Amino acid sequence: MKQIEQHASFGGSQEVWQHASSTLGVDMDFAVYLPPQARQGPCPVLYWLSGLTCNEQNFITKAGAQGYAAKHGVILVAPDSSPRGEGVADDEAYDLGQGAGFYLNATREPWAKHYRMYDYITQELPALVDAHFPTTTARGISGHSMGGHGALVIALRNPGMFRSVSAFSPVVAPSQVPWGEKAFGAYLGEDHDEWMQWDATALVANASERLPLLVDQGDADNFLDEQLRPQLLQQACEAAGHPLTLRMQPGYDHSYYFIASFIGEHIAHHAKAMKG
């Protein structure tokens, strides 16, 4: 591990670290905010998964989350959204390849060698964070857009791993919208049964843990009707009896202005669950 950034922030420390990932086969950067409480002892960890085109910088520079994390004594961990670098498969489009990992394990070439973000987020990164920072066993997970998809899917596929989950503007049904159809077809092939393993609306039907889902969605989001379609998650949760709080926020779009407006409420939600 190599520290490449450190900034004092709200009495704590905003840091960026780099390590050689054995899962992804490349060097990966991830951000860690250590609240002031971390100097006295272990703190719970909230993992943040970013959306298309983003890296670890977007959340830590735009969301305004550090002050809320300091208030509640929560460590924030924000990884990159995909493997990157020379030799890593890519595409000219913004919604496939580097910056568009979709938090799954690719099975098709040329993607399968490096695109294993699911294993990275659920195995390698938590082990690294727990080994190097003062963490408790309590974890939460959240994310935005593609990262909201990742947070929901990872929480649903790993009962007991997280005490809380939330999402901003998530891609709730990737198997039914253009972003997901394109990515799943490239990364996974044409077996739609395999696609369902990475689709939150399909996973809630058989979830063994009824972890409450908190979703905020702006009603002025230009991706709302074509790519996000939160009503599909609402219908799936109602059919399965899975707890969901879906908050449609009037006038808000898909940007970090939206995230910054409600990130404090999300961090409070996670802190309550992780400490309770």
Side-chain angles (χ1 to χ4, degrees):
M1 288 242 300
K2 177 174 69 173
Q3 188 182 82
I4 57 178
E5 285 188 39
Q6 191 279 322
H7 311 279
S9 179
F10 292 94
S13 180
Q14 178 62 66
E15 304 173 0
V16 177
W17 292 79
Q18 185 178 88
H19 74 108
S21 169
S22 58
T23 302
L24 305 175
V26 296
D27 288 344
M28 287 291 286
D29 295 348
F30 66 95
V32 177
Y33 176 71
L34 298 171
Q37 295 88 334
R39 297 194 193 97
Q40 277 70 54
C43 297
V45 184
L46 176 59
Y47 287 84
W48 173 269
L49 306 183
S50 293
L52 287 167
T53 74
C54 295
N55 59 23
E56 80 288 341
Q57 292 292 322
N58 298 75
F59 180 69
I60 64 175
T61 58
K62 296 180 179 180
Q66 291 89 345
Y68 300 109
K71 176 182 176 181
H72 293 285
V74 171
I75 295 172
L76 301 176
V77 175
D80 201 344
S81 58
S82 81
R84 299 178 192 266
E86 187 176 350
V88 177
D90 199 10
D91 189 271
E92 292 182 358
Y94 77 95
D95 53 359
L96 189 69
Q98 295 185 35
F102 270 85
Y103 302 101
L104 49 71
N105 289 338
T107 57
R108 307 282 288 190
E109 298 301 338
W111 313 102
K113 180 179 179 181
H114 296 291
Y115 285 78
R116 304 188 61 82
M117 287 298 294
Y118 174 79
D119 282 352
Y120 180 72
I121 298 297
T122 60
Q123 299 175 30
E124 185 175 14
L125 183 60
L128 197 68
V129 168
D130 289 346
H132 288 87
F133 302 99
T135 64
T136 69
T137 58
R139 300 185 185 110
I141 190 166
S142 186
H144 172 232
S145 195
M146 177 186 72
H149 142 76
L152 295 173
V153 166
I154 286 171
L156 290 166
R157 285 180 57 130
N158 293 274
M161 184 174 183
F162 301 97
R163 296 191 186 178
S164 54
V165 58
S166 73
F168 290 82
S169 317
V171 184
V172 301
S175 67
Q176 302 181 55
V177 301
W179 275 341
E181 290 170 344
K182 179 178 181 178
F184 285 10
Y187 297 146
L188 304 173
E190 297 307 317
D191 183 352
H192 282 239
D193 288 338
E194 188 173 1
W195 289 18
M196 293 301 102
Q197 301 305 308
W198 308 100
D199 187 308
T201 61
L203 292 171
V204 293
N206 298 305
S208 61
E209 178 187 40
R210 297 303 189 194
L211 191 65
L213 312 180
L214 170 62
V215 173
D216 269 323
Q217 172 64 61
D219 72 359
D221 191 320
N222 59 319
F223 298 115
L224 179 59
D225 294 331
E226 183 180 22
Q227 304 283 12
L228 306 177
R229 303 177 67 187
Q231 70 275 11
L232 296 179
L233 180 63
Q234 188 172 40
Q235 293 163 7
C237 287
E238 288 174 354
H242 197 106
L244 166 68
T245 300
L246 173 60
R247 309 193 306 184
M248 297 299 298
Q249 303 291 2
Y252 285 90
D253 59 19
H254 199 70
S255 71
Y256 265 84
Y257 294 107
F258 170 47
I259 296 169
S261 298
F262 298 99
I263 192 65
E265 295 177 26
H266 280 242
I267 290 175
H269 165 80
H270 288 280
K272 182 178 179 180
M274 290 190 293
K275 294 179 178 182

